[in-house]
Amino acid sequence: DQQVKQNSPSLSVQEGRISILNCDYTNSMFDYFLWYKKYPAEGPTFLISISSIKDKNEDGRFTVFLNKSAKHLSLHIVPSQPGDSAVYFCAASGRGSQGNLIFGKGTKLSVKP
Amino acid sequence: NAGVMQNPRHLVRRRGQEARLRCSPMKGHSHVYWYRQLPEEGLKFMVYLQKENIIDESGMPKERFSAEFPKEGPSILRIQQVVRGDSAAYFCASSPFEGTNSPLHFGNGTRLTVT
């Protein structure tokens, strides 16, 4: 039973355009959400996070949007660059569950020059 | 991922052998977490440790798996009598804070192959 779902296994985008990666969750007790980026043979690298008290958080080219009523979050990358090509994981945690992140299966983003 | 050091990067074991995976957290971090990633899957939480204490082992298989984080030295994830299904990438992460809402910093993982 997947509590965090990334329904698109892959996404291909042209360089300079916007990449939108989506994530849905089922557990209403989740209150902290993160996006990680992972290159092959490396560990996940933290990108951006958002607390459930917010609906948007921005850091440079990366913006995360949270829609609590729909239990949906998305990561926007604009403009997309070839170096953004990687697997992106959405993760969530609940209050009191220190470090116990629930990860989605990931979306492989390919940014074509 | 500078800072969280895992070794070995690759480990091959025959069925029935023991696997020992090591993790040194980032400097100043006293909280260590182990995750496992099976092929085509997301990462799955296994265990959360502080120095000399296991805080949450709700994701650890009940048998053959154990973890420790001694007062001195790295954290160790130990898998006894490995089976083919243990083949996976094992990632260690660390954080400096006890509270929630602090991102985890991951190492580059140990890829365990059981033949």
Side-chain angles (χ1 to χ4, degrees), chain A residues 5-66:
Chain A
K5 296 179 186 177
Q6 294 178 256
N7 291 319
S8 299
S10 63
L11 175 68
S12 183
V13 169
Q14 205 67 33
E15 181 180 6
R17 306 295 290 267
I18 185 171
S19 296
I20 300 176
L21 297 103
N22 294 303
C23 178
D24 297 294
Y25 61 96
T26 57
N27 190 337
S28 57
M29 298 302 290
F30 288 151
D31 66 349
Y32 184 54
F33 304 89
L34 310 91
W35 284 94
Y36 281 85
K37 172 182 178 179
K38 186 180 180 304
Y39 293 117
E42 292 186 12
T45 302
F46 170 72
L47 264 181
I48 192 168
S49 63
I50 188 167
S51 163
S52 59
I53 61 173
K54 293 185 172 183
D55 55 17
K56 178 182 174 181
N57 189 24
E58 194 171 350
D59 183 2
R61 296 187 296 115
F62 302 92
T63 303
V64 56
F65 295 92
L66 175 62

